[in-house]
Amino acid sequence: MIDIPNELSGYYSAKTQPEIVEIGEHTYLSILGSGSPGTNIFYQKKKAILEFIIQLQDQFKGTQKSFKNDIVEIFYWFDDKEGFVDIGNFYTTVDLDLLHYRIVVLIPDFVTEDDIKTTAAKSNDISFATEFKRFTYTAGKSVQLMHLGPLAGELETLPILQDFATENSLVKSGMHHEIHLIHFERGQSQQHLKTILRDPVKSIQ
C-alpha cells in the first residue's frame, strides 16, 4: 500500500519558524467552493471529501496501486478584481464572502478523472459526489511555517510569514494553502490544531 503521508513526509512537514521550500507538482482529489470557510456548506464539503476519498481508495484496494491518505488541505484565493491580497492580512483585507476555496486530498498521479467519475457513480449517498474533480498543481518556491493552536490564531501567525517573505525580497504569487494535519469539524476550530501555512512566492523585481 502507498502510505502517502509517510512517503511524502517532507510535503507534510514544516518548522514553527518561517522557511523557504520548493513544492513540486502534485495531484489532488478536489472540490470547489466560495464564501467564508466558516459556513455550513464549507464543512459539508470538508466532510464529503473524507467520505469520498474512502470510496476512491476502495477502487484500488488489494492491488499494487492501493493507497491511503486522509489529510485535508485547502487552497484559498480572491478574484484579481479584488486587488492584491498579501500573506499577512489575507483574511482581513477583503470580505470573506468573496473568498474562493478548493478543498483537496492529495492522491497518486495514476488516479484518473475516470476513476473519480466511477466512484461518484457509486456514491449517491455522498453529498456533492458529482462535483469532485482531479486537480494538478505546482506551487514552486513557497514560504511556510507550522501554526499550532486555534484557527483564529492564524491572524497573528500569517504576519510572521509575511515579514519573512518581505525580508527575503519575496512577494506572494499564488493561492494561500493550508494543510490541516489535525482534522477538525464545525465547532472545533478553537481546539489545538496543527496546520501548515504555505504561500507560493516570487522574487521582487
Side-chain angles (χ1 to χ4, degrees), residues 3-118:
D3 184 338
I4 292 178
N6 184 55
E7 294 199 11
L8 295 178
S9 58
Y11 176 90
Y12 292 108
S13 64
K15 301 174 182 177
T16 54
Q17 296 299 316
E19 60 184 332
I20 299 172
V21 294
E22 187 72 26
I23 306 298
E25 180 179 282
H26 293 287
T27 301
Y28 306 86
L29 171 69
S30 80
I31 186 168
L32 290 167
S34 60
S36 170
T39 61
N40 286 333
I41 194 168
F42 172 85
Y43 281 102
Q44 289 167 6
K45 288 182 175 181
K46 193 167 181 283
K47 179 175 181 288
I49 200 170
L50 287 173
E51 295 173 344
F52 196 95
I53 194 69
I54 291 172
Q55 297 301 316
L56 181 61
Q57 289 168 162
D58 280 349
Q59 279 200 60
F60 300 93
K61 194 172 183 179
T63 74
Q64 292 184 338
K65 292 183 176 181
S66 178
F67 71 94
K68 68 175 182 178
N69 188 18
D70 63 356
I71 297 177
V72 175
E73 312 174 36
I74 308 171
F75 294 97
Y76 294 105
W77 71 97
F78 292 100
D79 288 338
D80 291 342
K81 66 181 181 180
E82 307 302 336
F84 179 71
V85 181
D86 220 337
I87 299 170
N89 50 9
F90 184 79
Y91 291 115
T92 57
T93 302
V94 178
D95 189 333
L96 292 182
D97 287 342
L98 302 174
L99 186 68
H100 298 283
Y101 58 82
R102 185 186 291 272
I103 303 174
V104 307
V105 174
L106 197 153
I107 57 177
D109 293 342
F110 59 71
V111 177
T112 67
E113 189 67 39
D114 284 342
D115 291 327
I116 295 171
K117 288 180 179 178
T118 298

